[in-house]
């Protein structure tokens, strides 16, 4: 089955380019932006050979997984663009819910699959990482900002030995193809991109994101380089920073880092 956009994405004017195999959909999207493409346009494949993750980590996408990137060229600051990652998390969680319900109806199952959002940009199923989001931005010679939001979902396979254990939809018993998930994601993206509204709607995105946040109010350790901040996951602020409340009541805003909950948090994020 070929990749196709959902009906909402089509009527909102989105386009897409699908690849049988590609190095990185993020790299392709940014290269197209440098060549004059301004989107909104999806780049999608079910096999990515040189995928990249957050903090310069590789992101393997063996055949059957979903690697997708949306390119938008917009007039916002890089700090505002960074908050688009939260809208992406909401879109992906919505799409995952939709395809999971449909798959469970097809198999006459009754499992209520629950996904949550882990700061800054992961989607979890239980304690396992199911998907990751990498947002990249570059100022073009025109002065406009090319923003690429790359979304990788473990559909049929998950990597082993990762710092946060990973899972896949197949392992969760959700029998769905990357193409179905992509169609649902493209529609959900159109919905949450509208709410985000070039950052003007981040208040509403933040509210919706916090409703689905993993670990809110729980012990957390955040590692940023050599620094580890430990405390309680209090909230995210109006710029998307994670707020850690220390035992003495101080609230520390964190703009980037790896988050550990539960026993991993109390073990100092090792
Ligand atoms: C993470 O580290 O959690 C983010 C992973 C993001 C992977 C996606 S797959 C589609 C897009 N293309 C890439 O090269 N990376 C992103």
């Amino acid at each position: 089955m070929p990749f196709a956009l959902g009906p909402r994405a089509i009527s909102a004017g989105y386009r897409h380019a699908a690849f049988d195999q590609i190095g990185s959909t993020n790299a392709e999207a940014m290269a197209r932006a440098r060549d004059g493409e301004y989107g909104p346009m999806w780049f999608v494949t079910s096999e990515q050979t040189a995928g990249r993750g957050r903090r310069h980590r590789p992101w393997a996408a063996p055949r059957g997984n979903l690697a997708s990137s949306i390119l938008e060229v917009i007039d916002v600051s890089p700090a505002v663009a960074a908050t688009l990652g939260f809208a992406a998390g909401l879109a992906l969680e919505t799409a995952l819910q939709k395809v999971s319900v449909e798959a469970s109806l097809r198999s006459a199952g009754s499992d209520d699959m629950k996904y949550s959002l882990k700061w800054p940009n992961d989607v979890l199923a239980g304690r396992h990482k199911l998907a990751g989001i990498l947002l990249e931005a570059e100022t073009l010679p025109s002065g406009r900002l090319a923003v690429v939001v790359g979304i990788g979902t473990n559909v049929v396979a998950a990597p082993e030995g990762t710092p946060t254990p990973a899972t896949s939809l197949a392992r969760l018993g959700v029998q769905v193809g990357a193409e179905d998930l992509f169609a649902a994601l493209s529609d959900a993206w159109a919905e949450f991109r509208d709410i985000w509204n070039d950052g003007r709607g981040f208040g509403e995105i933040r509210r919706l994101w916090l409703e689905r946040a993993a670990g809110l109010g729980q012990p957390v350790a955040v590692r940023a380089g050599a620094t580890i901040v430990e405390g309680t996951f209090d909230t995210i602020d109006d710029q998307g920073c994670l707020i850690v409340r220390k035992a003495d009541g101080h609230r520390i805003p964190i703009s980037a880092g790896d988050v550990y909950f539960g026993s991993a948090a109390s073990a100092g994020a090792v």
Side-chain angles (χ1 to χ4, degrees), residues 63-83:
R63 183 163 290 273
N65 279 3
L66 177 62
S68 52
S69 301
I70 174 76
L71 165 68
E72 305 227 1
V73 176
I74 46 182
D75 296 305
V76 302
S77 68
V80 169
T83 66

Side-chain angles (χ1 to χ4, degrees), residues 229-253:
V229 179
E230 292 179 75
T232 302
F233 176 14
D234 201 30
T235 189
I236 59 170
D237 69 9
D238 57 9
Q239 284 156 33
C241 290
L242 178 97
I243 305 295
V244 176
R245 188 165 27 82
K246 306 281 294 174
D248 63 6
H250 276 95
R251 297 166 90 240
I252 317 272

Side-chain angles (χ1 to χ4, degrees), residues 4-91:
L5 296 166
R8 180 172 182 153
I10 292 171
S11 60
Y14 285 80
R15 291 170 291 129
H16 79 295
F19 304 86
D20 179 54
Q21 182 198 71
I22 196 168
S24 158
T25 53
N26 262 36
E28 178 68 20
M30 198 55 91
R32 296 277 191 106
R34 290 184 202 114
D35 282 350
E37 175 61 60
Y38 49 82
M41 184 165 179
W42 284 96
F43 298 84
V44 59
T45 188
S46 65
E47 186 175 11
Q48 185 173 249
T49 53
R52 46 202 201 210
R54 289 177 56 239
R55 307 176 84 73
H56 307 290
R57 295 177 185 127
W59 180 271
R63 183 163 290 273
N65 279 3
L66 177 62
S68 52
S69 301
I70 174 76
L71 165 68
E72 305 227 1
V73 176
I74 46 182
D75 296 305
V76 302
S77 68
V80 169
T83 66
L84 189 51
F86 297 92
L90 285 165

Side-chain angles (χ1 to χ4, degrees), residues 172-237:
L172 295 167
V174 179
Q175 298 303 329
V176 66
E179 296 83 357
D180 295 318
L181 178 59
F182 174 68
L185 174 61
S186 67
D187 276 351
W189 173 271
E191 177 187 347
F192 287 99
R193 166 69 178 86
D194 276 1
I195 297 173
W196 181 71
N197 189 16
D198 288 355
R200 289 182 284 274
F202 182 60
E204 176 65 359
I205 293 291
R206 174 180 175 272
R207 187 186 70 75
L208 295 168
W209 192 93
L210 285 168
E211 282 179 3
R212 294 156 180 80
L216 198 60
Q218 291 175 21
V220 68
V222 188
R223 184 167 53 198
T227 309
I228 295 177
V229 179
E230 292 179 75
T232 302
F233 176 14
D234 201 30
T235 189
I236 59 170
D237 69 9

